[in-house]
Amino acid sequence: MTCIIIEDEIPAQKILKNFIAKIPSLELIDTFNAAIEANSFLNSNAVDVVFLDINLPDMSGLDFIKTIKNPPAIIMTTAYSEYAVNSFELDTIVDYLVKPFSFDRFLKAVNKAKERMEVADVIQEDNEEVIFLNVDKTLHKIVLNKILFIESERNYITVVTENQRLSYIDALKNWNAKLPEKTFIQVHKSFIINSLFVSKISGNFIFIKDNKIPIGRTFKQELLAKLGI
Protein backbone atom coordinates (compact mmCIF):
# COMPACT_ATOMS: atom_id res chain seq x y z
CA MET A 1 0.00 0.00 0.00
CA THR A 2 1.31 3.45 -0.87
CA CYS A 3 1.06 6.17 1.74
CA ILE A 4 1.90 9.79 2.55
CA ILE A 5 2.33 11.70 5.80
CA ILE A 6 0.76 15.11 6.45
CA GLU A 7 2.27 16.29 9.73
CA ASP A 8 3.92 19.59 10.71
CA GLU A 9 5.86 18.33 13.74
CA ILE A 10 9.27 16.88 12.82
CA PRO A 11 9.44 14.44 15.80
CA ALA A 12 6.01 13.07 14.88
CA GLN A 13 7.12 12.71 11.24
CA LYS A 14 10.16 10.72 12.35
CA ILE A 15 8.04 8.34 14.44
CA LEU A 16 5.65 7.70 11.56
CA LYS A 17 8.51 7.17 9.10
CA ASN A 18 10.15 4.71 11.49
CA PHE A 19 6.91 2.74 11.97
CA ILE A 20 6.14 2.72 8.23
CA ALA A 21 9.63 1.39 7.46
CA LYS A 22 8.93 -1.63 9.70
CA ILE A 23 5.94 -2.73 7.58
CA PRO A 24 6.99 -4.27 4.22
CA SER A 25 3.54 -3.78 2.71
CA LEU A 26 3.68 0.01 3.25
CA GLU A 27 5.52 2.32 0.83
CA LEU A 28 6.01 5.94 1.89
CA ILE A 29 5.80 8.19 -1.18
CA ASP A 30 6.13 11.65 0.35
CA THR A 31 5.83 13.75 3.52
CA PHE A 32 4.13 17.14 3.80
CA ASN A 33 4.20 19.81 6.52
CA ALA A 34 0.87 21.38 5.55
CA ALA A 35 -2.44 20.40 3.99
CA ILE A 36 -2.15 22.80 1.03
CA GLU A 37 1.12 21.19 -0.02
CA ALA A 38 -0.49 17.76 -0.04
CA ASN A 39 -3.66 18.83 -1.84
CA SER A 40 -2.13 19.24 -5.30
CA PHE A 41 -0.19 16.01 -4.86
CA LEU A 42 -3.34 14.03 -4.09
CA ASN A 43 -5.12 15.56 -7.08
CA SER A 44 -2.54 14.08 -9.44
CA ASN A 45 -1.28 10.96 -7.64
CA ALA A 46 -2.98 7.77 -6.45
CA VAL A 47 -2.40 7.05 -2.75
CA ASP A 48 -3.84 4.22 -0.69
CA VAL A 49 -3.38 5.59 2.85
CA VAL A 50 -2.87 9.08 4.34
CA PHE A 51 -1.51 9.62 7.85
CA LEU A 52 -3.08 12.98 8.66
CA ASP A 53 -2.53 15.21 11.68
CA ILE A 54 -5.63 17.06 12.92
CA ASN A 55 -3.82 20.26 13.97
CA LEU A 56 -2.07 21.69 10.91
CA PRO A 57 -0.83 25.27 10.32
CA ASP A 58 -3.05 26.13 7.34
CA MET A 59 -6.27 24.22 8.06
CA SER A 60 -7.41 21.39 10.30
CA GLY A 61 -7.06 17.83 9.10
CA LEU A 62 -10.82 17.33 9.40
CA ASP A 63 -11.47 20.36 7.14
CA PHE A 64 -8.82 19.15 4.71
CA ILE A 65 -10.63 15.83 4.23
CA LYS A 66 -13.64 17.71 2.83
CA THR A 67 -11.46 19.16 0.04
CA ILE A 68 -10.22 15.79 -1.26
CA LYS A 69 -11.98 14.22 -4.22
CA ASN A 70 -12.33 10.45 -3.79
CA PRO A 71 -10.30 10.43 -0.56
CA PRO A 72 -8.12 7.40 0.19
CA ALA A 73 -8.14 5.57 3.51
CA ILE A 74 -7.24 8.14 6.17
CA ILE A 75 -5.62 7.45 9.54
CA MET A 76 -5.81 10.53 11.75
CA THR A 77 -3.12 11.39 14.29
CA THR A 78 -4.01 13.66 17.20
CA ALA A 79 -3.09 14.55 20.75
CA TYR A 80 -6.76 14.93 21.67
CA SER A 81 -8.58 11.69 22.46
CA GLU A 82 -12.06 13.28 22.29
CA TYR A 83 -11.84 13.41 18.49
CA ALA A 84 -11.73 9.62 18.35
CA VAL A 85 -15.24 9.26 19.77
CA ASN A 86 -17.01 12.48 18.76
CA SER A 87 -15.88 12.64 15.12
CA PHE A 88 -15.44 9.02 14.08
CA GLU A 89 -16.20 9.15 10.34
CA LEU A 90 -15.50 5.68 8.85
CA ASP A 91 -16.71 6.81 5.43
CA THR A 92 -13.22 8.30 5.00
CA ILE A 93 -11.43 7.92 8.34
CA VAL A 94 -10.26 4.40 9.08
CA ASP A 95 -8.83 5.03 12.53
CA TYR A 96 -7.53 7.59 15.04
CA LEU A 97 -4.07 7.35 16.59
CA VAL A 98 -3.85 9.32 19.81
CA LYS A 99 -0.32 10.61 20.45
CA PRO A 100 1.87 9.14 21.77
CA PHE A 101 0.95 5.80 20.18
CA SER A 102 2.83 2.51 20.17
CA PHE A 103 3.93 0.51 17.13
CA ASP A 104 1.33 -2.16 18.03
CA ARG A 105 -1.44 0.44 17.92
CA PHE A 106 -0.05 1.83 14.65
CA LEU A 107 0.00 -1.65 13.10
CA LYS A 108 -3.62 -2.21 14.14
CA ALA A 109 -4.65 0.97 12.29
CA VAL A 110 -2.73 -0.10 9.17
CA ASN A 111 -4.41 -3.51 9.24
CA LYS A 112 -7.81 -1.80 9.44
CA ALA A 113 -6.94 0.24 6.35
CA LYS A 114 -5.86 -2.92 4.55
CA GLU A 115 -9.06 -4.70 5.56
CA ARG A 116 -11.19 -1.83 4.32
CA MET A 117 -9.39 -1.85 0.97
CA GLU A 118 -9.88 -5.61 0.64
CA VAL A 119 -13.61 -5.28 1.34
CA ALA A 120 -13.87 -2.46 -1.21
CA ASP A 121 -12.05 -4.58 -3.80
CA VAL A 122 -14.50 -7.44 -3.27
CA ILE A 123 -17.43 -5.11 -3.86
CA GLN A 124 -15.84 -3.52 -6.94
CA GLU A 125 -15.09 -6.91 -8.46
CA ASP A 126 -18.71 -7.95 -7.99
CA ASN A 127 -17.68 -10.94 -5.89
CA GLU A 128 -20.54 -10.02 -3.60
CA GLU A 129 -22.02 -12.30 -1.00
CA VAL A 130 -25.78 -12.15 -1.47
CA ILE A 131 -28.91 -13.57 0.09
CA PHE A 132 -32.54 -13.56 -0.97
CA LEU A 133 -35.26 -12.46 1.45
CA ASN A 134 -38.81 -13.67 0.97
CA VAL A 135 -40.95 -10.64 1.80
CA ASP A 136 -44.62 -10.48 0.80
CA LYS A 137 -44.21 -13.50 -1.48
CA THR A 138 -41.39 -11.78 -3.39
CA LEU A 139 -37.71 -12.74 -3.33
CA HIS A 140 -35.50 -9.68 -2.82
CA LYS A 141 -31.77 -9.84 -3.58
CA ILE A 142 -29.62 -8.31 -0.80
CA VAL A 143 -25.86 -7.73 -1.02
CA LEU A 144 -24.66 -8.27 2.56
CA ASN A 145 -21.90 -5.63 2.53
CA LYS A 146 -24.39 -3.02 1.32
CA ILE A 147 -26.70 -3.44 4.31
CA LEU A 148 -26.58 -0.26 6.43
CA PHE A 149 -28.14 -1.78 9.54
CA ILE A 150 -30.72 -4.28 10.77
CA GLU A 151 -33.40 -3.37 13.28
CA SER A 152 -35.51 -5.67 15.44
CA GLU A 153 -38.95 -4.63 16.71
CA ARG A 154 -41.18 -7.15 18.45
CA ASN A 155 -41.26 -10.19 16.14
CA TYR A 156 -40.13 -8.32 13.04
CA ILE A 157 -36.74 -7.63 11.44
CA THR A 158 -36.15 -4.65 9.15
CA VAL A 159 -33.17 -4.83 6.80
CA VAL A 160 -32.09 -1.39 5.62
CA THR A 161 -29.89 -0.61 2.60
CA GLU A 162 -29.49 2.68 0.74
CA ASN A 163 -32.31 1.68 -1.62
CA GLN A 164 -34.39 -0.83 0.32
CA ARG A 165 -36.21 -1.23 3.60
CA LEU A 166 -37.55 -4.78 3.99
CA SER A 167 -39.53 -6.00 7.02
CA TYR A 168 -40.52 -9.58 7.80
CA ILE A 169 -40.94 -11.97 10.74
CA ASP A 170 -37.56 -13.07 12.12
CA ALA A 171 -35.25 -12.73 15.15
CA LEU A 172 -32.10 -10.58 15.30
CA LYS A 173 -30.04 -13.45 16.71
CA ASN A 174 -30.52 -15.36 13.45
CA TRP A 175 -28.66 -12.60 11.58
CA ASN A 176 -25.48 -12.77 13.64
CA ALA A 177 -24.60 -16.07 11.92
CA LYS A 178 -25.34 -14.70 8.43
CA LEU A 179 -23.31 -11.50 8.52
CA PRO A 180 -19.53 -11.02 8.01
CA GLU A 181 -17.99 -10.60 11.48
CA LYS A 182 -15.36 -8.14 10.24
CA THR A 183 -17.83 -5.42 9.36
CA PHE A 184 -21.07 -6.05 11.25
CA ILE A 185 -21.40 -5.21 14.95
CA GLN A 186 -24.36 -5.54 17.31
CA VAL A 187 -24.64 -2.19 19.12
CA HIS A 188 -28.00 -2.62 20.86
CA LYS A 189 -30.41 -5.43 21.67
CA SER A 190 -32.43 -4.21 18.67
CA PHE A 191 -29.70 -3.16 16.20
CA ILE A 192 -26.82 -4.61 14.18
CA ILE A 193 -24.84 -2.06 12.16
CA ASN A 194 -22.41 -2.17 9.24
CA SER A 195 -19.25 -0.38 10.44
CA LEU A 196 -18.33 0.59 6.85
CA PHE A 197 -21.17 3.11 6.81
CA VAL A 198 -20.69 4.72 10.24
CA SER A 199 -20.43 8.52 9.89
CA LYS A 200 -19.91 9.41 13.55
CA ILE A 201 -20.42 8.42 17.18
CA SER A 202 -21.80 10.98 19.62
CA GLY A 203 -22.55 10.04 23.22
CA ASN A 204 -24.69 6.92 23.20
CA PHE A 205 -25.69 7.18 19.55
CA ILE A 206 -24.09 6.00 16.33
CA PHE A 207 -24.94 7.65 13.01
CA ILE A 208 -25.27 5.84 9.67
CA LYS A 209 -26.24 8.10 6.77
CA ASP A 210 -29.28 9.99 8.17
CA ASN A 211 -30.10 7.32 10.77
CA LYS A 212 -29.49 7.85 14.50
CA ILE A 213 -29.06 4.48 16.21
CA PRO A 214 -28.85 3.97 19.99
CA ILE A 215 -25.87 2.21 21.56
CA GLY A 216 -26.83 -0.17 24.37
CA ARG A 217 -24.85 0.20 27.59
CA THR A 218 -23.76 -3.44 27.56
CA PHE A 219 -22.63 -3.20 23.92
CA LYS A 220 -20.65 0.08 23.95
CA GLN A 221 -17.35 -1.25 25.26
CA GLU A 222 -17.25 -4.06 22.70
CA LEU A 223 -18.28 -1.64 19.94
CA LEU A 224 -15.43 0.76 20.69
CA ALA A 225 -12.98 -2.13 20.95
CA LYS A 226 -13.98 -3.49 17.54
CA LEU A 227 -13.65 -0.02 16.03
CA GLY A 228 -10.21 0.26 17.60
CA ILE A 229 -11.07 3.27 19.75
Side-chain angles (χ1 to χ4, degrees):
M1 297 187 296
T2 58
C3 66
I4 63 172
I5 297 170
I6 308 175
E7 167 66 70
D8 63 320
E9 297 179 358
I10 300 301
Q13 288 183 8
K14 289 182 178 179
I15 291 171
L16 285 168
K17 288 178 180 179
N18 180 43
F19 285 176
I20 290 169
K22 293 181 178 181
I23 303 176
S25 62
L26 270 183
E27 178 189 358
L28 179 62
I29 297 177
D30 212 335
T31 301
F32 302 91
N33 296 318
I36 295 299
E37 297 174 6
N39 187 57
S40 59
F41 181 87
L42 287 172
N43 285 336
S44 56
N45 294 273
V47 175
D48 295 320
V49 183
V50 175
F51 296 96
L52 176 63
D53 187 17
I54 287 182
N55 294 317
L56 293 168
D58 46 1
M59 70 173 72
S60 76
L62 293 174
D63 288 336
F64 174 65
I65 292 172
K66 301 173 185 177
T67 70
I68 308 173
K69 293 182 179 179
N70 302 316
I74 294 175
I75 297 175
M76 304 297 298
T77 61
T78 177
Y80 304 97
S81 60
E82 61 267 24
Y83 282 113
V85 174
N86 294 333
S87 306
F88 201 84
E89 301 177 359
L90 275 179
D91 285 335
T92 55
I93 300 173
V94 173
D95 206 350
Y96 281 83
L97 294 174
V98 180
K99 302 174 184 177
F101 48 85
S102 66
F103 176 71
D104 289 348
R105 184 64 185 83
F106 174 85
L107 180 59
K108 184 175 182 178
V110 171
N111 286 337
K112 288 176 69 173
K114 182 179 180 181
E115 179 181 303
R116 171 179 167 169
M117 291 175 62
E118 288 173 348
V119 170
D121 287 344
V122 167
I123 292 174
Q124 290 172 3
E125 293 170 3
D126 289 328
N127 294 325
E128 301 157 323
E129 187 175 356
V130 302
I131 60 172
F132 287 85
L133 298 182
N134 191 342
V135 179
D136 296 330
K137 299 181 180 181
T138 301
L139 290 174
H140 298 264
K141 179 182 177 181
I142 300 291
V143 179
L144 291 184
N145 278 326
K146 293 184 180 179
I147 294 174
L148 302 182
F149 63 92
I150 300 168
E151 179 180 2
S152 172
E153 186 175 4
R154 297 181 182 176
N155 296 323
Y156 281 83
I157 288 292
T158 300
V159 178
V160 181
T161 70
E162 289 186 296
N163 304 313
Q164 296 170 294
R165 194 178 187 95
L166 301 171
S167 298
Y168 69 107
I169 296 175
D170 199 357
L172 196 65
K173 63 181 181 181
N174 295 334
W175 276 87
N176 281 317
K178 299 177 184 179
L179 298 168
E181 293 181 1
K182 289 184 177 180
T183 51
F184 285 88
I185 307 169
Q186 185 162 359
V187 299
H188 187 276
K189 65 179 182 180
S190 299
F191 287 92
I192 296 175
I193 60 97
N194 187 342
S195 62
L196 293 176
F197 294 99
V198 173
S199 59
K200 65 179 178 180
I201 297 172
S202 180
N204 290 321
F205 291 93
I206 193 164
F207 293 78
I208 295 181
K209 301 296 182 179
D210 296 323
N211 302 282
K212 182 178 179 182
I213 296 170
I215 301 172
R217 184 178 60 183
T218 58
F219 295 90
K220 188 167 187 178
Q221 184 174 354
E222 183 178 358
L223 167 66
L224 297 179
K226 286 186 175 181
L227 293 177
I229 301 174

